[in-house]
Amino acid sequence: QIYYFKNNKKRVKFNTPLDSNPFRKIIWKYICSLRKWYLYSNFNKYFSAPVNEKYVYLPLHMIPESTTFVKSPMYIDEINLIEAVSKSLPISWKLYVKEHPLMIGERRLQFYRRINKLHNVKLVKLNFYNDPKPWIEKSLAVISIVGSSALEATILNKPAIVFGNVCYNVLSNIKVIDTFEKLESLFTLIKDDELAIDNKNECAAYLKTISDHGVNLDMWEFIRPSSKKISNQPFKLSENNKFEELLKS
């Protein structure tokens, strides 16, 4: 009877928050907490400390995340991205991968196990430094899907590679690529020191432009009417006028 109930395709499936299984949620939270404790503990065999070697820095994103899913939906498979970078690096270089703090405990351990099988890739302890700045300063370059670490890198005069259309890709040190095949040639340029550009003035001008012409926008004021538009809910005239003003800004 249990088998029939589980596999009967004609039965009505209940999958609402009111009738979902609360025990699964509790068990999942406990599993995530255990993983988090393990990954921050000294028993963690997946994360290691950095050493004095040439490396490219790749901080992982929080998944799911609107920035990656909207701006670079073709590159959200982070393992695929890591493997592509691993194959493109010069022989003596390493790829340092740092997990996103909010993802600690959320991923299965198989994710880290698969990354550690790559000979030139190292998962680093995210709490080794008190600040992410040293990871960037000691690296040869920074790779990010569409993360702000690429902007931090170019402010510190480090080459940065991104895979999506970001607002700061106008800066000279930001290289936007749309295929993994371009990685090897970019690493060759970095190795030959041909991408070393002192762009402090350029970054200062970029930040000054944002400060002078940027608009303070409350995202929730934009999200609420947008959700109504998507779901075809009725709009009040005042709401519609405010929404049009937000779009123009």
Side-chain angles (χ1 to χ4, degrees), residues 83-90 120 180-181 183-185 187-188:
E83 289 176 343
V85 175
S86 170
K87 294 173 184 176
S88 307
L89 283 175
N120 59 350
F180 291 143
E181 294 176 356
L183 283 171
E184 187 175 357
S185 60
F187 289 140
T188 301

Side-chain angles (χ1 to χ4, degrees), residues 78-114:
E78 291 180 302
I79 287 187
N80 188 32
L81 172 63
I82 292 168
E83 289 176 343
V85 175
S86 170
K87 294 173 184 176
S88 307
L89 283 175
I91 294 176
S92 60
W93 290 15
K94 295 285 186 181
L95 176 64
Y96 278 13
V97 178
K98 186 171 77 69
E99 179 60 289
H100 194 287
L102 295 179
M103 291 300 293
I104 292 292
E106 298 290 328
R107 304 187 201 263
R108 295 180 182 274
L109 297 181
Q110 288 90 328
F111 177 85
Y112 308 117
R113 194 176 299 126
R114 183 173 172 183

Side-chain angles (χ1 to χ4, degrees), residues 45-226:
K45 63 179 181 180
Y46 299 109
F47 298 175
S48 55
V51 295
N52 187 18
E53 57 187 344
K54 295 179 180 180
Y55 70 88
V56 173
Y57 176 58
L58 193 160
L60 297 178
H61 283 257
M62 189 176 77
I63 301 291
E65 187 181 44
S66 60
T67 51
T68 50
F69 277 60
V70 174
K71 295 178 181 177
S72 55
M74 303 301 291
Y75 298 97
I76 57 177
D77 186 345
E78 291 180 302
I79 287 187
N80 188 32
L81 172 63
I82 292 168
E83 289 176 343
V85 175
S86 170
K87 294 173 184 176
S88 307
L89 283 175
I91 294 176
S92 60
W93 290 15
K94 295 285 186 181
L95 176 64
Y96 278 13
V97 178
K98 186 171 77 69
E99 179 60 289
H100 194 287
L102 295 179
M103 291 300 293
I104 292 292
E106 298 290 328
R107 304 187 201 263
R108 295 180 182 274
L109 297 181
Q110 288 90 328
F111 177 85
Y112 308 117
R113 194 176 299 126
R114 183 173 172 183
I115 292 174
N116 275 327
K117 287 181 179 180
L118 301 171
H119 72 284
N120 59 350
V121 179
K122 180 184 290 186
L123 280 161
V124 290
K125 294 180 178 179
L126 68 161
N127 56 346
F128 186 82
Y129 297 117
N130 294 326
D131 187 85
K133 186 178 177 181
W135 294 111
I136 298 173
E137 288 181 320
K138 297 180 180 181
S139 69
L140 297 169
V142 172
I143 298 179
S144 179
I145 302 176
V146 284
S148 59
S149 55
L151 176 59
E152 295 174 39
T154 194
I155 290 174
L156 293 169
N157 277 329
K158 294 287 182 179
I161 300 171
V162 295
F163 292 86
N165 292 317
V166 289
C167 58
Y168 48 82
N169 62 7
V170 295
L171 297 171
S172 302
N173 274 13
I174 302 287
K175 302 300 176 184
V176 184
I177 62 174
D178 54 7
T179 174
F180 291 143
E181 294 176 356
K182 295 180 180 179
L183 283 171
E184 187 175 357
S185 60
L186 279 176
F187 289 140
T188 301
L189 292 174
I190 294 170
K191 186 178 180 180
D192 295 338
D193 208 23
E194 294 184 23
L195 292 184
I197 303 172
D198 187 359
N199 64 339
K200 291 179 182 178
N201 293 334
E202 187 179 357
C203 289
Y206 173 77
L207 296 175
K208 185 71 167 58
T209 303
I210 293 175
S211 176
D212 292 344
H213 302 284
V215 177
N216 288 325
L217 178 64
D218 186 347
M219 286 303 297
W220 285 108
E221 288 186 4
F222 188 77
I223 291 170
R224 291 190 191 98
S226 297

